[in-house]
Amino acid sequence: MLTKERTLQYFHEYFSEWIEIYKRGAVRPVTYQKYLMTLQRLTELSPNLKICELDKRKYQTLLNDYAKTHERQTTMDFHHHLKSAILDAMDEGLLTIDPTRKVIIKGKPVSDKKNKFLSQFELQSLLKSLNLTDKPNWDWFILLVAKTGLRFSEALALTPKDFDFECQKVKISKTWNYKNAEGGFGETKNLSSKRTIQIDIQLNTQIERLSKDLADDEPIFVQGRVFNSTVNNRLKVLCKKAGVPIISAHCLRHTHASLLIFAGVSIASIAKRLGHSSISTTQETYLHIIKELESQDNDKIMSHLSMITQ
């Protein structure tokens, strides 16, 4: 039975307890820190919001306030953290309705200097500029991420034994703690991130040849301390050389997903390939592309129907 104290609990207090119970020790340290950052912003924006007062309007207002100083994707991440806790609050009977239903995700305009993904033509130009030597280098790493959509830490953790060259598949079961000086293998972002994906025959042959003299259980691309900026700086050079917009390593993942959507691959298949915890995450992340394709489909539908006459 719920106590009055529980129903009058502040939302940020509930979220703090929820993080401690469900996330501490269950997610990677870097992910846990992101939850703590969400808690900090929640406390700053809505210090007096109680669980029992949380309705659709108040929740939308909270997201709108957050979006004033953050881009849409960052606001989306903030929303996903809060939504998970809210759904558990509903299960506990603290809420009778889902205040996150049909929420609108906003955000400040994306900087012109930031590009989320490349077109197929731009990606092809980028890949043609790669310097693929007979030894692993960051250009090989860039090719791998572009063709698999792996997260940065997932790609770093790949070893030769993670590849099934006979079946053209790669198994993602771990990450590399590149943010720690000592490095080392770590857990994946979530359970859904543990997956096996198909790779094309060309990449399969290239990686098999590249890793034939490497230790089976050692990372292919890690040689000492790894910094995200190192790869991004190399990408910057390659993008300028190819004459395409400058993107980051993470944007290669967005590019991979975007091209699959435009190719007509189902959202369910893309979500599984990316290691998303739910299809809704994929839909919300790439909503702008999905809407663009829906608009194109509507034009096709109307064109087809106009040819059907009585």
Side-chain angles (χ1 to χ4, degrees), residues 131-137 140 206-207 209-214:
N131 179 27
L132 302 176
T133 62
D134 58 352
K135 300 292 183 181
N137 60 14
W140 277 112
Q206 290 172 318
I207 298 298
R209 187 184 305 120
L210 186 69
S211 61
K212 65 178 181 179
D213 296 325
L214 303 179

Side-chain angles (χ1 to χ4, degrees), residues 215-246:
D216 279 349
D217 56 355
E218 291 294 324
I220 297 173
F221 298 101
V222 177
Q223 300 292 333
R225 183 74 189 274
V226 177
F227 295 94
N228 186 278
S229 58
T230 303
V231 181
N232 286 336
N233 287 337
R234 177 56 182 164
L235 255 177
K236 184 177 181 179
V237 171
L238 291 170
C239 287
K240 287 184 175 181
K241 179 181 177 182
V244 302
I246 296 173

Side-chain angles (χ1 to χ4, degrees), residues 57-293:
R57 179 172 294 187
K58 286 188 173 63
Y59 185 71
Q60 184 67 64
T61 300
L62 169 62
L63 288 188
N64 291 349
D65 290 341
Y66 182 87
K68 290 177 182 177
T69 54
H70 296 83
E71 293 179 4
R72 187 180 182 279
Q73 183 57 53
T74 310
T75 305
M76 181 77 73
D77 295 338
F78 180 74
H79 161 61
H80 283 156
H81 283 178
L82 298 182
K83 181 177 179 179
S84 296
I86 288 171
L87 293 179
D88 281 343
M90 290 181 63
D91 289 342
E92 294 177 42
L94 297 174
L95 291 168
T96 57
I97 63 167
D98 180 6
T100 70
R101 183 174 176 270
K102 293 185 178 181
V103 71
I104 305 299
I105 304 297
K106 303 178 182 179
K108 67 177 186 178
V110 179
S111 170
D112 291 338
K113 295 182 180 180
K114 292 184 179 181
N115 295 282
K116 292 299 183 182
F117 59 88
L118 300 177
S119 68
Q120 183 173 339
F121 175 78
E122 291 169 337
L123 179 61
Q124 289 174 335
S125 297
L126 172 64
L127 297 185
K128 286 179 181 178
S129 70
L130 296 177
N131 179 27
L132 302 176
T133 62
D134 58 352
K135 300 292 183 181
N137 60 14
W138 291 126
D139 288 33
W140 277 112
F141 182 86
I142 289 168
L143 175 66
L144 176 69
V145 174
K147 286 200 167 189
T148 60
L150 296 184
R151 297 179 177 94
F152 185 74
S153 59
E154 293 173 343
L156 285 177
L158 289 179
T159 65
K161 72 176 182 180
D162 291 323
F163 289 85
D164 182 345
F165 296 115
E166 185 175 344
C167 297
Q168 296 177 216
K169 294 182 178 181
V170 56
K171 182 179 181 181
I172 297 92
S173 60
K174 56 193 178 303
T175 59
W176 185 260
N177 295 319
Y178 68 93
K179 293 187 177 181
N180 295 332
E182 60 273 18
F185 292 113
E187 283 296 316
T188 55
K189 185 175 183 180
N190 50 53
L191 187 60
S192 299
S193 296
K194 296 181 185 294
R195 61 203 189 277
T196 299
I197 65 172
Q198 197 84 30
I199 58 177
D200 66 87
I201 188 169
Q202 183 184 35
L203 181 64
N204 186 72
T205 302
Q206 290 172 318
I207 298 298
E208 182 177 20
R209 187 184 305 120
L210 186 69
S211 61
K212 65 178 181 179
D213 296 325
L214 303 179
D216 279 349
D217 56 355
E218 291 294 324
I220 297 173
F221 298 101
V222 177
Q223 300 292 333
R225 183 74 189 274
V226 177
F227 295 94
N228 186 278
S229 58
T230 303
V231 181
N232 286 336
N233 287 337
R234 177 56 182 164
L235 255 177
K236 184 177 181 179
V237 171
L238 291 170
C239 287
K240 287 184 175 181
K241 179 181 177 182
V244 302
I246 296 173
I247 61 169
S248 66
H250 188 68
C251 291
L252 287 172
R253 175 173 164 87
H254 285 312
T255 296
H256 182 79
S258 300
L259 294 182
L260 292 182
I261 294 174
F262 278 119
V265 179
S266 72
I267 293 298
S269 294
I270 295 173
K272 185 176 181 180
R273 186 173 178 85
L274 295 180
H276 283 165
S277 57
S278 68
I279 294 178
S280 62
T281 300
T282 314
Q283 291 173 321
E284 291 172 349
T285 303
Y286 302 102
L287 182 62
H288 59 295
I289 300 175
I290 295 172
K291 284 186 174 180
E292 181 180 340
L293 290 178

